[in-house]
Amino acid sequence: MKSKALKILVGLSGGVDSAVAAFLLKKEGHEVSAVFMKNFSSRDNIDHECPWRKDQAEAQKVADFLGIKLETWDFEEQYRKTVVKYLFDTYQKGLTPNPDILCNSEIKFKLFLAKALLAGYDKIATGHYAQIIENKKGFHLLQGLDDNKDQSYFLSGLTQEQLSHSLFPLGKIKKPKVREMAKQAGLPNADRKDSQGICFVGKVNLKDFLQQEIPANPGNIVDLNGKIMGKHEGVIYYTPGQRKGINIGGGPALYVIRKNLAKNELVVGPKESIELYTKQIKVKNWHWLGQAHKFPIKAKGKIRYRQTDQALKIDKIGDNLYQITFKKDQFASAAGQTLAVYLKNELIASAIIID
């Protein structure tokens, strides 16, 4: 039985994934329109090429090819007040935020979704590699079929309301197949490279970006014994486990072990340093994507994007405080990052790492 045709608004980014998503939805017989979201434009005092104009032009080519209407919606002011401010504020505290998760929760699946529903659309669609299924217990967010491209982690802050009005047409397709489909369909951006960097900002040197609002505060880089190894421009520009950008030549590769804000010191050491590994972390701001489960919970999870799912146990140990015990040692857990929790391939919850 053919499913009911829906009025769908696709977020066209200019990339191949959202283009194929729009192509598939139109092929299924839905009434498809598209929007390009302008959320960030370059600032004069930062050396990077903000990609929004090129992305917008590519999105227009795709829309013209598919014969669908494309509008540009400007959320730049809201993006700066939420995502960019959160990025600066969190780094200023010495933490490591994940702006892409907030961008999805607050911009794509909040502002964009609300405006789409107000305009009379049934659903919004994006090119994310994730799946949504519905049953009597609600809407469930599943990992994408392509393990290498699964983006459910970035959607870990979504709610039932947001999931109920969203579509991810690429959830059951692997990336190579998406490329192949784009070429076979003749999509004008079939060979365009995937975007990289911060959500809507693009590829930019993080230190240069942060220095727009957070002034350099030079200090010493020291080893585990306190020996001075070099100089840094500001400890808040670094994150645990980071290797690139330390700029200490010679000898074995060094990794950021911790940031001592009180002494303004960056502590570094080899990858095998015991302080870089832990089996227990604490998290706060627990968020259920759907049905709540009773604690303690045995599940799987990840503390960063692209990490292999890790076996873990979750205990509630206080008001807005949870202890995560992993089966295996975890490398470079970073306060401020997001823990995503899975039962089998369903993302059931998320929380913010505090230590």
Side-chain angles (χ1 to χ4, degrees):
M1 183 177 176
K2 190 174 181 180
S3 59
K4 177 187 173 184
L6 300 172
K7 190 176 181 183
I8 301 171
L9 190 63
V10 178
L12 269 189
S13 66
V16 67
D17 294 332
S18 60
V20 171
F23 167 75
L24 290 174
L25 291 169
K26 187 179 180 186
K27 189 177 179 182
E28 289 175 6
H30 298 292
E31 183 183 341
V32 178
S33 298
V35 160
F36 175 83
M37 284 176 267
K38 179 180 178 288
N39 293 334
F40 188 86
S41 57
S42 184
R43 292 183 176 183
D44 295 334
N45 61 338
I46 182 169
D47 183 21
H48 103 291
E49 182 183 1
C50 183
W52 83 266
R53 291 189 185 277
K54 289 182 179 179
D55 291 343
Q56 184 189 47
E58 290 294 330
Q60 188 63 63
K61 289 178 186 177
V62 171
D64 291 343
F65 177 83
L66 294 176
I68 62 177
K69 180 180 69 174
L70 176 72
E71 295 181 45
T72 295
W73 289 358
D74 191 332
F75 297 122
E76 186 163 3
E77 182 181 355
Q78 299 97 317
Y79 184 85
R80 289 187 184 278
K81 287 181 177 178
T82 54
V83 180
V84 176
K85 184 179 185 301
Y86 166 77
L87 187 72
F88 286 131
D89 289 351
T90 307
Y91 269 106
Q92 184 78 68
K93 295 173 183 175
L95 307 174
T96 305
N98 193 308
D100 287 5
I101 292 175
L102 188 69
C103 175
N104 281 324
S105 300
E106 296 296 320
I107 306 296
K108 292 180 184 176
F109 297 92
K110 187 174 182 179
L111 298 180
F112 174 56
L113 173 58
K115 191 170 180 178
L117 294 177
L118 195 62
Y121 290 92
D122 300 308
K123 303 260 188 180
I124 62 168
T126 65
H128 284 96
Y129 287 82
Q131 304 178 64
I132 299 173
I133 63 169
E134 180 186 4
N135 60 25
K136 292 179 181 179
K137 294 182 179 180
F139 293 84
H140 305 265
L141 180 65
L142 310 183
Q143 293 173 322
L145 183 67
D146 190 334
D147 291 337
N148 191 48
K149 285 293 294 182
D150 168 49
Q151 293 172 311
S152 60
Y153 179 82
F154 292 127
L155 304 168
S156 57
L158 298 192
T159 66
Q160 283 291 289
E161 177 67 16
Q162 290 168 324
L163 290 172
S164 72
H165 292 290
S166 302
L167 293 172
F168 304 131
L170 308 188
K172 294 183 178 180
I173 311 173
K174 294 192 175 184
K175 180 71 181 207
K177 180 65 175 177
V178 169
R179 285 281 183 193
E180 182 184 328
M181 293 170 74
K183 291 177 182 179
Q184 289 179 347
L187 287 168
N189 63 349
D191 293 315
R192 197 178 189 213
K193 291 182 179 180
D194 291 344
S195 61
Q196 294 180 331
I198 303 169
C199 179
F200 289 110
V201 174
K203 195 170 184 180
V204 60
N205 182 287
L206 182 62
K207 178 170 67 66
D208 292 344
F209 187 79
L210 291 173
Q211 282 183 342
Q212 294 176 98
E213 300 288 341
I214 307 173
N217 184 21
N220 291 327
I221 301 176
V222 301
D223 67 12
L224 288 165
N225 297 315
K227 179 183 176 183
I228 297 175
M229 306 291 288
K231 296 286 185 180
H232 64 75
E233 292 187 58
V235 292
I236 60 99
Y237 304 142
Y238 298 84
T239 192
Q242 180 177 334
R243 181 175 63 86
K244 293 182 180 180
I246 299 176
N247 297 324
I248 298 176
L254 295 174
Y255 294 75
V256 174
I257 293 177
R258 64 177 179 273
K259 300 181 286 187
N260 189 328
L261 271 67
K263 293 184 177 181
N264 193 29
E265 286 183 342
L266 189 69
V267 182
V268 300
K271 191 174 185 179
E272 60 270 18
S273 300
I274 192 168
E275 288 190 48
L276 271 174
Y277 298 85
T278 183
K279 280 189 177 180
Q280 282 194 336
I281 61 173
K282 290 184 177 65
V283 300
K284 65 176 183 178
N285 298 352
W286 194 267
H287 168 69
W288 295 110
L289 276 79
Q291 182 184 15
H293 296 253
K294 290 184 178 180
F295 296 99
I297 301 170
K298 286 188 176 180
K300 290 186 177 181
K302 57 183 68 183
I303 57 175
R304 62 179 64 87
Y305 177 52
R306 287 191 181 277
Q307 183 187 28
T308 303
D309 291 350
Q310 304 290 303
L312 54 79
K313 179 174 173 282
I314 308 157
D315 292 284
K316 186 170 185 179
I317 58 174
D319 184 27
N320 192 26
L321 187 61
Y322 306 81
Q323 183 167 279
I324 313 300
T325 305
F326 292 93
K327 186 175 181 181
K328 296 180 180 179
D329 282 333
Q330 300 300 300
F331 174 74
S333 173
Q337 281 281 22
T338 295
L339 167 75
V341 180
Y342 297 83
L343 284 178
K344 294 183 179 179
N345 68 333
E346 180 183 354
L347 200 163
I348 62 166
S350 63
I352 302 299
I353 299 169
I354 56 176
D355 72 7

